[in-house]
Amino acid sequence: MDDAAEQSLSHDLGFNLGVLFRAYVKASNGVVRDIPGGPRGYQVLVAAVCGEAGNQSALAKRLGIDRSVMTYLVDDLEAAGLVVRRPDPDDRRNRQILATDRGRATWERAEQDHRAIDAHILGPLPEADVPAFRDTIERLAERVNALDPLDSACEVVSDLAAAAVPADPARRAPRTR
Amino acid sequence: MDDAAEQSLSHDLGFNLGVLFRAYVKASNGVVRDIPGGPRGYQVLVAAVCGEAGNQSALAKRLGIDRSVMTYLVDDLEAAGLVVRRPDPDDRRNRQILATDRGRATWERAEQDHRAIDAHILGPLPEADVPAFRDTIERLAERVNALDPLDSACEVVSDLAAAAVPADPARRAPRTR
DNA sequence: TATTGTTATACTCTATAACTATA
DNA sequence: TATAGTTATAGAGTATAACAATA
């Protein structure tokens, strides 16, 4: 049986992932003020620059946001002159998101800032361990992406786990005191 | 100068942290259906069980949420009989959050489920590397927590970085088409 | 019929500020 | 005066569903 005395929030992987993620977003927010949509706008820009944004829905899924949110995001990036939409010649339902010259220039500055953020977050690591750590994080993220669409994560954990939690309306009860 | 062709969203640390964090939250959501507040309610419960929740404000800060949100969260946990509030005898402004027996039992089940989630997320790693990786993540999170309250993260990165982004009202412009 | 993108709407969640109590 | 907690409110962010275009 578990011993609560030996436990601590500090040893919780989920908690620590949250800490790092929030720290990253916060730092990113500080360096993307000229990019609409904040850190996520930056990620869309990265995808556009890298030619990985040929389909809004797929990109939205990859970034963990709704496709309708992606519409607003790309609207704003387009209005800022950082990207343009173009119908995919092969399937005209799809919109390809392409970076403009200005988008590329903006990306370049933001990209440098984000590498500096990386360095700050990973600062405590011995320099020699950084590439391996980054690689590990990337590998784990890849695997999780490959598995999660099937919701296999929760099968493993519990039969009760109906992973697509449908926003229980009673979750925050109307307070009556 | 950077070469966009060699870049990819997959190599972005922030992106990968987001992927892992979202995957963790999603899996956690699947196993905390009996805990009000979802994954964060669970984290409050962990803190209560571990005796690390002597002050709502401090805990809220640690979990990255607003103190007013913490009030609602603890309200719901208390209503579910998982924790109780008690005024701190040493400073009666503070409320200590203590786990009940029921809270402890609920925590025990949830804790096991979360260790299973950990195992799933970290599955791709060689078993022997897991403890070191967990330790690294914890160390990084500790350091980031020690630095971020001072916003030194962004000083390092850019002079422009006023980290406490005050919710630019023009960020999502009212769409007029 | 299924899917992409869009739009409007409704809802959830969060931040803000005012208030009480303690210090 | 300053801080912890609470509360109500306003606002930002998100999901939902319907629609048009394309497959």
Side-chain angles (χ1 to χ4, degrees):
Chain A
M1 181 180 283
D2 296 298
D3 184 2
E6 293 179 3
Q7 292 292 129
S8 166
L9 217 37
S10 304
H11 300 133
D12 188 291
L13 179 64
F15 168 72
N16 286 321
L17 281 176
V19 168
L20 291 178
F21 179 66
R22 286 191 301 273
Y24 201 100
V25 169
K26 184 179 176 183
S28 178
N29 250 311
V31 298
V32 294
R33 300 192 132 234
D34 50 345
I35 302 179
R40 289 193 312 199
Y42 167 70
Q43 293 184 332
V44 171
L45 186 58
V46 171
V49 168
C50 297
E52 300 177 351
N55 176 310
Q56 291 184 198
S57 280
L59 183 56
K61 199 170 193 178
R62 196 162 174 218
L63 297 182
I65 63 182
D66 194 83
R67 61 179 180 152
S68 65
V69 174
M70 180 60 73
T71 297
Y72 305 135
L73 212 44
V74 177
D75 280 351
D76 295 344
L77 290 168
E78 201 169 26
L82 303 180
V83 304
V84 291
R85 273 187 259 236
R86 196 181 61 180
D88 181 347
D90 295 341
D91 184 341
R92 300 226 311 283
R93 290 176 302 183
N94 294 345
R95 306 271 178 241
Q96 298 177 329
I97 307 171
L98 306 174
T100 62
D101 287 343
R102 189 174 170 189
R104 220 169 285 271
T106 300
W107 165 81
E108 236 166 70
R109 284 192 302 274
E111 206 268 342
Q112 287 176 6
D113 288 338
H114 279 82
R115 296 302 74 80
I117 294 174
D118 293 359
H120 179 256
I121 298 270
L122 302 179
L125 287 185
E127 190 104 18
D129 295 352
V130 168
F133 181 79
R134 292 185 67 108
D135 188 67
T136 298
I137 291 280
E138 179 175 343
R139 221 164 31 163
L140 294 181
E142 266 169 14
R143 274 292 291 270
V144 134
N145 258 341
L147 295 171
D148 248 18
L150 305 171
D151 283 13
S152 56
C154 290
E155 290 174 7
V156 173
V157 169
S158 159
D159 295 336
L160 301 172
V165 176
D168 181 355
R171 193 168 140 195
R172 175 171 159 192
R175 316 184 74 225
T176 53
R177 287 195 167 186
Chain B
M1 181 179 284
D2 296 299
D3 183 3
E6 293 180 3
Q7 291 292 130
S8 166
L9 217 36
S10 305
H11 300 133
D12 187 291
L13 178 64
F15 168 73
N16 287 321
L17 281 176
V19 168
L20 290 178
F21 178 67
R22 285 193 301 272
Y24 201 100
V25 169
K26 184 178 176 183
S28 177
N29 251 311
V31 298
V32 294
R33 300 193 132 232
D34 51 343
I35 302 178
R40 289 193 311 199
Y42 167 71
Q43 293 184 331
V44 172
L45 186 58
V46 171
V49 168
C50 298
E52 300 177 350
N55 177 310
Q56 290 185 199
S57 280
L59 183 56
K61 199 170 192 177
R62 196 161 174 219
L63 297 182
I65 63 183
D66 194 82
R67 62 182 179 150
S68 65
V69 174
M70 180 60 72
T71 297
Y72 305 135
L73 212 44
V74 177
D75 280 351
D76 295 344
L77 290 168
E78 200 169 27
L82 303 180
V83 304
V84 291
R85 273 187 259 235
R86 196 180 64 179
D88 181 346
D90 295 340
D91 184 341
R92 300 227 310 284
R93 290 175 301 183
N94 294 345
R95 307 271 180 237
Q96 298 177 328
I97 307 171
L98 306 174
T100 62
D101 287 344
R102 188 174 171 190
R104 220 169 285 271
T106 300
W107 164 81
E108 236 165 69
R109 284 192 303 274
E111 207 268 342
Q112 287 175 6
D113 287 340
H114 279 82
R115 295 301 74 80
I117 293 173
D118 293 359
H120 178 256
I121 298 272
L122 302 179
L125 287 185
E127 190 104 17
D129 295 351
V130 169
F133 181 80
R134 291 184 67 108
D135 188 67
T136 298
I137 290 280
E138 180 176 342
R139 221 170 33 181
L140 294 181
E142 267 169 13
R143 274 290 293 269
V144 133
N145 259 340
L147 295 173
D148 249 17
L150 305 172
D151 286 10
S152 55
C154 289
E155 292 174 6
V156 174
V157 170
S158 161
D159 295 335
L160 300 172
V165 176
D168 183 355
R171 191 167 143 196
R172 175 171 158 192
R175 317 184 71 224
T176 51
R177 285 193 169 186

